[in-house]
């Protein structure tokens, strides 16, 4: 295989089911106040090994992290990477793509049908943030869009092992994609599920709640969230996230009924519903603002 750098330290990974490997990111914001220590390593990343090849699921928050994930793959197996799947647009899940784009043969990059447009719109901000916060200079070529786009669902064959990919309606973002490994009944949920890390609304709050209802009906043995520890008690994780998001929805609806301004509503709700969540200071007010903008036009 070409594309690996022998001097790169592999990311630590855990095998959570036969052939299913996960790297657990730090609970921090991207790039965030802990940028020097974390270096964009905040999302869960994974790979699944089939008889013929490997699928990588999310690639990390910088090109260097992508190199370290690639090193972890190549330390674990000699089988080639045939697919790189991005669960959504956010930089902590996509900015390691370039490490895999350099492989020969080049894997196919897979994402939601709306991922390409969202990446194109956000790439300048992501690249500027990398340079400002981590002193990492990137080029436009380091932003790698999907060449296999999923608008409903599709299956990928790794050789004796199938992955089932589902494109969801607007929820956490407008380009959320989940990945189910049928052999182990492991669901990579991306940021449709947060554990520990406060959920972040960057799509549609009401849509996210609807998608969670559908996620709850999935026949899966364990779930890998976008942030937080993989779990077999995933219904409890969904319930905890639901309580937070419903609290945001209900609080904003009350504020709108009371004809509060957006600033007043956010201030009044700034300390509500955040117990037990990490990073609430980074994201809760932003979530309230997003919810107000969405629900202001509700029938």
């Amino acid at each position: 295989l070409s594309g690996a750098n022998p001097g790169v330290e592999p990311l630590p990974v855990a095998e959570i089911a036969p052939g299913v490997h996960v790297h657990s990111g730090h609970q921090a914001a991207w790039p965030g106040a802990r940028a020097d220590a974390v270096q964009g390593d905040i999302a869960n990343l994974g790979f699944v090994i089939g008889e013929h090849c490997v699928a990588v699921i999310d690639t990390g928050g910088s090109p260097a992290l992508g190199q370290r994930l690639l090193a972890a793959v190549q330390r674990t197996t000699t089988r080639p990477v045939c697919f790189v799947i991005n669960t959504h647009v956010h930089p902590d899940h996509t900015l390691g793509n370039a490490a895999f784009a350099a492989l020969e043969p080049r894997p196919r990059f897979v994402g939601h049908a709306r991922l390409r447009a969202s990446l194109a719109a956000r790439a300048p901000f992501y690249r500027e943030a990398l340079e400002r916060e981590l002193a990492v200079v990137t080029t436009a070529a380091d932003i790698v869009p999907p060449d296999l786009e999923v608008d409903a669902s599709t299956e990928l064959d790794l050789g004796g092992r199938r992955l089932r990919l589902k494109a969801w309606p607007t929820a956490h973002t407008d380009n959320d994609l989940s990945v189910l490994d049928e052999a182990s009944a492991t669901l990579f949920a991306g940021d449709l599920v947060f554990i520990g890390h406060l959920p972040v609304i960057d799509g549609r709050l009401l849509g996210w709640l609807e998608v969670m209802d559908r996620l709850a009906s999935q026949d899966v043995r364990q779930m890998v969230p976008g942030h937080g520890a993989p779990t077999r008690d995933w219904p409890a994780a969904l319930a905890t996230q639901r309580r937070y998001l419903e609290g945001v929805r209900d609080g904003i609806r009350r504020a709108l009924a009371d004809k509060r301004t957006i600033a007043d509503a956010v201030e009044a709700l700034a300390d509500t519903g955040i117990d037990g969540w990490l990073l609430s200071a980074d994201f809760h007010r932003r979530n309230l603002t997003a919810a107000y903008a969405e629900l202001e036009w509700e029938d």
Side-chain angles (χ1 to χ4, degrees), residues 254-265 268 292:
R254 286 193 298 270
L256 287 165
D258 292 341
K259 302 198 182 315
R260 287 181 180 264
T261 65
I262 190 168
D264 287 345
Y292 190 104

Side-chain angles (χ1 to χ4, degrees), residues 17-299:
V20 180
H21 301 260
V22 174
H23 168 71
S24 295
H26 298 269
Q27 295 280 33
W30 184 95
R34 294 177 58 205
D36 289 344
V38 173
Q39 293 289 303
D41 180 12
I42 68 168
N44 291 338
L45 317 174
F47 56 94
V48 179
I49 303 172
E51 293 175 7
H52 298 157
C53 63
V54 179
V56 171
I57 303 163
D58 288 332
T59 58
S62 71
L65 275 170
Q67 288 285 354
R68 294 186 64 197
L69 179 61
L70 174 59
V73 173
Q74 295 183 335
R75 180 179 60 183
T76 307
T77 180
T78 58
R79 292 166 194 167
V81 177
C82 49
F83 299 104
V84 175
I85 305 163
N86 291 131
T87 60
H88 63 292
V89 69
H90 287 152
D92 48 318
H93 299 260
T94 57
L95 291 186
N97 283 4
F100 295 89
L103 290 172
E104 291 292 344
R106 187 182 193 269
R108 297 203 71 184
F109 285 78
V110 189
H112 193 290
R114 289 194 288 265
L115 176 59
R116 176 183 289 272
S118 191
L119 264 178
R122 296 174 183 228
F125 164 75
Y126 292 167
R127 293 177 55 212
E128 190 274 333
L130 270 179
E131 185 169 2
R132 181 184 68 247
E133 301 289 343
L134 301 181
V136 174
V137 178
T138 56
T139 69
D142 290 317
I143 307 297
V144 184
D147 51 65
L148 175 57
E149 299 183 336
V150 183
D151 56 12
S153 63
T154 196
E155 291 186 351
L156 304 179
D157 183 4
L158 308 183
R161 187 165 209 153
R162 289 189 307 177
L163 302 182
R164 221 183 317 145
L165 278 56
K166 179 168 181 55
W168 295 92
T170 300
H172 167 64
T173 68
D174 75 349
N175 51 86
D176 297 306
L177 188 74
S178 63
V179 182
L180 175 65
D181 171 49
E182 292 183 345
S184 66
T186 299
L187 181 70
F188 286 82
D191 281 7
L192 290 172
V193 182
F194 285 74
I195 297 176
H197 183 310
L198 191 81
V200 179
I201 303 167
D202 190 27
R204 182 171 170 264
L205 170 59
L206 299 183
W208 198 351
L209 288 166
E210 291 166 4
V211 163
M212 285 173 58
D213 288 338
R214 294 166 61 185
L215 277 176
S217 69
Q218 300 283 298
D219 183 17
V220 303
R221 189 171 301 133
Q222 63 183 339
M223 179 177 287
V224 181
H227 301 267
T231 181
R232 291 178 180 265
D233 192 11
W234 56 269
L238 276 178
T240 300
Q241 178 171 286
R242 173 174 287 284
R243 280 193 296 274
Y244 170 74
L245 293 175
E246 287 182 339
V248 170
R249 177 198 65 191
D250 296 345
I252 291 296
R253 280 177 172 167
R254 286 193 298 270
L256 287 165
D258 292 341
K259 302 198 182 315
R260 287 181 180 264
T261 65
I262 190 168
D264 287 345
V266 169
E267 196 57 42
L269 298 168
D271 297 320
T272 62
I274 57 176
D275 290 349
W277 289 106
L278 302 170
L279 304 174
S280 57
D282 295 277
F283 297 110
H284 183 53
R285 287 174 179 265
R286 196 169 98 182
N287 286 340
L288 293 168
T289 301
Y292 190 104
E294 175 183 338
L295 298 175
E296 187 176 15
W297 306 106
E298 196 175 21
D299 289 336

